[in-house]
Amino acid sequence: YKLMMNYCLSGHPTLPCNVLKFKSTTIMLDCGLDTTSVLNFLPLPLVHSPRLSKLPGWVSKDGTVNLEKELKECAGRVFVDSQPEFCLPEKELLDLSTIDVILISNYHCMMALPYITEHTGFTGTVYATEPTLQIGRLLMEELVNFMERVPKAQSATCWKNKEIQRMLPGPLKDAVEVWTWKRCYSMQEVNSALSKVQLVGYSQKVELFGAVQVSPLSSGYSLGSSNWIIQSHHEKVAYVSGSSLLTTHPQPMDQSSLKNSDVLILTGLTQMPTANPDGMLGDFCSNLAMTIRAGGNVLVPCYSSGVIYDLLECLYQFIESASLGTTPFYFISPVANSSLEFSQIFAEWLCHNKQSKVYLPEPPFPHAELIQTNKLKHYPSIHGDFSSEFRQPCVVFTGHPSLRFGDVVHFMELWGKSSLNTIIFTEPDFSYLDALAPYQPLAMKCVYCPIDTRLNFHQVSKLLKEVQPLHVVCPEQYTQPPPSQSHRSDLMLELQPPPMPYRRCSVLSLPFRRRYERIHLLPELANSLVPSEIKPGISVATVSAVLHSKDNKHTLQSVPKPPPVPPTKKRKRVIEEPPEVLAPKPLLSGAVPLEAFLATLHKHGITEVKVEETADGHILHLQAEDTLIQLEEDGTHIVCDNNEPLRTTLRDLVLRFLQKL
Amino acid sequence: MPEIKVTPLGAGQDVGRSCILVSIGGKNIMLDCGMHMGYNDDRRFPDFSYITQNGRLTEFLDCVIISHFHLDHCGALPYMSEMVGYDGPIYMTHPTKAICPILLEDFRKITVDKKGETNFFTSQMIKDCMKKVIPLNLHQTVQVDDELEIKAYYAGHVLGAAMVHIKVGSESVVYTGDYNMTPDRHLGAAWIDKCRPDILISESTYATTIRDSKRCRERDFLKKVHETIERGGKVLIPVFALGRAQELCILLETFWERMNLKAPIYFSTGLTEKANHYYKLFITWTNQKIRKTFVQRNMFEFKHIKAFDRSYADNPGPMVVFATPGMLHAGQSLQIFKKWAGNEKNMVIMPGYCVQGTIGHKILNGQRKLEMEGRATLDVKLQVEYMSFSAHADAKGIMQLIRMAEPRNMLLVHGEAAKMEFLKGKIEQEFNINCYMPANGETETVTTNPSVPVDISLNLLKREMALGGPLPDTKKPRTMHGTLIMKENSLRLVSPEQALKELGLNEHQLRFTCRVQLQDPHSDSDTLHRIYTHLKSVLKGYTIQHLPDSTVMVESIVIKLSSSAEDPNTKVLLLSWSYQDEDLGSFLSTLLKKGLPSGLC
C-alpha cells in the first residue's frame, strides 16, 4: 500500500480547497474563498446613509467592554463597522510554497487565488479553462471595485480578541478563525495571480513532471466549469466539484471519464437540496411579474455571471406573455458589459443547443436581443448615465448577493421602506435572513428562490453507482443530514464503504494500492527478448537491461557491449579480469528428466554412466570423467574437478531442460 | 517492424484537393478532403477509388479530419461522404464546422446553378454530411476509439484552422493542414509542443520563399491602394469571403481612419456580414490583441467598409472593392475584373496564391490577352499586383515548426514539386532526418521503432533505483534483471523471484562443486589467510569474508580448505557455487588452480 495524502484547507463544502500529495507532486484542488464572513459586517453604502451612521455602538451589558467604535447594533444584532473581511483557506497546515500546481474547477472556486499565489512563496502554475479564467477575472475585478469604491479607513481588530469575542452576542461570538480573516486583495494582486494561469481545454492531458497526468472534464455547472482527473498509469483520483446534470447553458457533464477511480473527492453539491431549480425559476418569474404589475420595483441581488444568464433567458421568453414589454431591466455592475459580451464568445463551452446557434451565426444567449431592443440596459454603477436614464417601476440585477457591498446596498436603502417593492434572492450562497439583518426593520417584500443547479444527493448517489470509485472522500457535512432537517436521511451520502469525511484542517491518508509503474523498453531491447511459453497463454522472457530514469520517466535499454579490448594489451590479462560485480544469472525452474538427460549425454559422447537411485532422485556417475551429477526434482548438483570444459558442457546440457526466469 | 504509410490522393507535389491517407497502427485516417480549383472534370476531386473500387468507404476509414474550411481542404467532403459513401466520424474545429457548410453551399450554387452541372452534391447532402461532424476543441485529446487518439493545435492560417496530432500507441503523425508561423492582424501564430511525431506532414506552399517582414508588405499594399485612389483609379481585391479578407479589411479600415480618406470601400456578396459575425462569435480564435480588447472595440465592426451592389462597378471615381472568389475563376470578382481590365488607371491586387488554370494564375504570369468564353478575348490593361498575404508558413516558418515538434521524419505536401525538392534538401541537411515528398497515389512507408510500454513492479524499480543511485554511471552501467510476464494484453516486468511465485513454479537449484589442489607449504590457517589476501587484491568491489570454520566466502561462494592426509603441503580447496554465481565461480576455480603468488604474507 502506498499512501496519498489529502490536506483539507477549507471547511466550506462548496468553496473547497484541498491539497493532494500524489507521487511526489503537490496539487492544490481549488482555491475557494469563504465570503460568508462578510455577513458579520455592516453594509458599505455608496452614498452617505444617515440610518447606518446613526446606529448605536455596542457596549456589553455590564458595561465592562466598550466597543462602540467597532461594533454597531441593528435590530438586535451586532455588526462589525469595518471593511468587510473574508475567511481564507488554512495557511498553517502545510507549507504552501511547496505547491506545484493549482487546479481550478470553476470561477466561483478560485476567489482566494491571490491570497495563495501572492503571499506564500508559491512558484507553481495554475490550470484553468479559458471561460473560468476570464469570468473569474471579472468576478475578482468586481469584488475589488466594490471594496475600493467606498474605502473605509477603519479596520476593526479589538473585537477579535479571544476574551472579548467570547462576550459578544451570536453569531459574532461563534465566528471561527477570525484572526485569519483578511481584507480584499488589490487589482495588482489579482493580475499577478492570474498571470500564473495556464489555459487548458476539456479532456486535454497535461503532464506534470512526467509523474502525473491531469485532465479537466466538463462538469456542466457553469461556463468552462470542470472536474479533474489526476492519474498515473496505475492510479486514478477523480476530483468532483460543482457539477450539474441539469440542462442549462454549459456543456453537459462528462460522467463516463470519472469511471474506475481509486479515490473520488466529492465537493460542491447543491446547497439547497430541497429546492427544485425549475420550480424556483417559476417562482422567480411570477413574483417578479406580480410586483411590477402592482407598480413596485424588483431587486435581484446576484453574481455578474452564471445563473443571471439563465434568468435573463427565462425572462426573454416570459416578458411578452407577462406583458412586461415596457418594463426596464437593469444590470448594474462594473463588469456587466464584459460579462454579457464574454458569455457570447465561448461557443465551445456551451450546450449543444447554444452551439448550433453560433453556427447560424447568431449569438448563443438571447440577452443580446434584449440589449439590442433596449429591454435590458447595463451600467457600470448607479453613478453616471444610470441616474439620469433610470425609470421606475423596474427590475434591477446587481451585486453583491451578500448585501454588504456593491450597488445593491444603495437599492436596499432606496426601496427597503416600501412594501410595493420586492427583493428576490436567487443566489444560494448566503442565508437571506442574515443578509437582510442590518436592513431591519424592512417593509419591502422578500422572496427566497435560491437556484442551485449543482448535484443533489439523489443525483450524486446515482452517479457514484455508475462510476464506482473504490473510495469516496467528502466534506463531513455530506455524511449527516443538514442540522435543520435531521430526520431527512435522504439528504446525506450513504455509501459502502462509507465515505471518508474531512473538515477544515483534516489530513487524510488515502488508501492506495500502487504496485506498478510504467516503464518503456527501448526498441533494440524489446527486439532482443526471447519469450518462451511457460503455460498456455503465458510467456516469459528474461530481461537484463540498464535502467534510465529522468523526469520521473523510466526506460530500459540493452546492456552496452563492452568496448573491444585494445589489441596492444596482453590477451592474458583478459582472463584475469574478474567478472562484473552483481551480475547474477536468471533463476531456473522445472526439472531434468533422467532418460532424456542420459540420451543427451550419450549424444555428447558420455556413455559410461552409472545411475544410482536415491531417496530424492538419482546420482549419475560419469565414470570415464570421474564426475558426479546429482539429479533431484528441484535441484541439480554437478561435482566436477579440474575439468572446466567438461563442467561447462554439462552445465549447458542441464540448462537445456530448464526454464530461465 | 511497425510502419506508417502515407498516400496523398491530392496535394502530393501539388496545391489543391488536399487529401492524404495515413495508415498507422492498423488505423486508417483521411486527412482533409478537398477539391481542385484548377479543374472542372473528374480531377476536381481526389480519386477515392484508390481506397476501394467498389462502394462505400466506411469500413476502410477509421476517421476523417478536416484541417480548415478552405475548399481545397473540404470541398470534396459531401461528395466523399454522401455520394461515394462514408458514415464514420468526421472531425473539425467549431469554426470550421460553422463556416464549412456555407462555403460548400456557395461552391455548389456556382457549380450547379451557374454552370449547370449535374451529378453534383445537393444542399441536402451537405446537411447530411455535416451531421457526421464531431467538433474538436484545441488541445482536447479526442479518443476516436480505444487506440486512436487525436489532438488539435492552433494553426493560424484562417479562423478555426488546426494542425492535428494523431497517435496510436507510441506511434504518431502530425498533419499541419495550412499554417502560419507569424501572427497577423487578426490571427495568432501556429504553435505545437515538442510531441516528437514519427512523421510531420507539412504543407509547403511557400517552400522556397523567405518573405520579407509583414509590416513592409502591408506598407506596400497600402501605398499601392492609396496611389491608385489618388489618381482616380479603382482597386479590385479578389478574396475569399473569410480569412485574408478580414485581415485586409482591418488594415484598410485603420488606414482610412488615420488618413481621413473618403473614397468608398466595398465588400461584395452578402456573405461578408455573416463572415464578420463568425469572427465576432469565435473571437477566442483570433489573435491576443483582438481578444483582449473586444469588449471595448470589436475589430470586426467596420465603419468605412460598406456592402457592394453590382451597379456600383460602373460608378465613376475611385473605389476599393473586395470581391469573391479569390482566384478570379468565377463569380463577382471575375465580373468586376472584366469591367475594369481595360483601364490602365485601375489595379487588381491578388493577395493570395492562385492555382494553375485560373485567370488569377494567368495574369500573375504576365498574360495580357485572355481567352474568355465564347471566343472573346480580353485585353488586360489594368495594373496587376501580387501581394503575398495568404497566411502560409514560409521556408523559415516550416523550419521553425520542425524545431518545435522535433519529428523523426518529414513529409511534404501542398506545394510544387520543384520547390519541395529544394526544401527537402535543406531539411535533410539541417535536421539530419529523412524528408519525403510522395506524388498523388504514391505511398511512402516509414518504419517506426516504437518503444514498448511495460508495467514494472514498484518493488523491483525502487530497489534498482536505490542500488543504481540517481544517475547511472555511463562507464560501468548497472544491469538490472527481471522477468517479463506476457499474459493476454498485459506486459509486466517483475523480479525473477516474484515471477516464480506468481506463476506457481518451483525453483530449480543448479549447483557446482569443484575440487582444486594447491601446493602451499604453510599451515592450513595460513594458507587460508593467503587465499583471502590474494582474492582481496584481485577481486575489487566484492564482499570477501574469512570465516572461522576454515572457509572463505566470496559473495555467496564457499571455499573450504583441507590438507591432504599424505602431504600436508598439498591443500585441497572445495569450491561450491550456485548457477546464479556461475561467472564468479568459474573465474575463481580457474584463478585458484594457478596457485597463489609467492609474495603473499
Side-chain angles (χ1 to χ4, degrees), chain A residues 49 115 135 415 426 501 569:
Chain A
S49 159
Y115 295 115
I135 297 174
W415 291 342
T426 55
K569 275 204 169 173

Side-chain angles (χ1 to χ4, degrees), chain A residues 184-238:
Chain A
C184 190
Y185 31 73
S186 68
M187 208 49 219
Q188 194 188 353
E189 288 168 312
V190 170
N191 288 332
S192 170
L194 296 185
S195 71
K196 293 164 180 133
V197 175
Q198 177 121 17
L199 296 181
V200 284
Y202 288 150
S203 305
Q204 179 175 346
K205 295 175 179 171
V206 180
E207 293 273 335
L208 304 180
F209 318 108
V212 180
Q213 193 185 62
V214 298
S215 189
L217 308 172
S218 177
S219 78
Y221 169 59
S222 61
L223 268 175
S225 70
S226 22
N227 293 322
W228 290 85
I229 295 294
I230 301 120
Q231 63 185 342
S232 71
H233 277 286
H234 296 284
E235 41 280 307
K236 177 170 174 178
V237 181

Side-chain angles (χ1 to χ4, degrees), chain B residues 35-48:
Chain B
M35 52 129 350
H36 203 298
M37 300 282 186
Y39 300 117
N40 282 322
D41 52 22
D42 282 352
R43 290 171 296 173
R44 177 165 55 197
F45 293 146
D47 180 11
F48 298 114

Side-chain angles (χ1 to χ4, degrees), chain B residues 23 78 107 140 195 249-250 320 347 376 402 412 437 478 510 550 562 567 570 583:
Chain B
S23 295
F107 170 44
Q140 171 193 17
C195 53
C249 282
I250 293 173
V320 179
M347 177 182 283
I402 298 175
L412 300 177
M437 40 175 283
R478 248 187 73 77
L510 174 58
S550 299
S562 57
D567 176 9
T570 304
D583 290 343

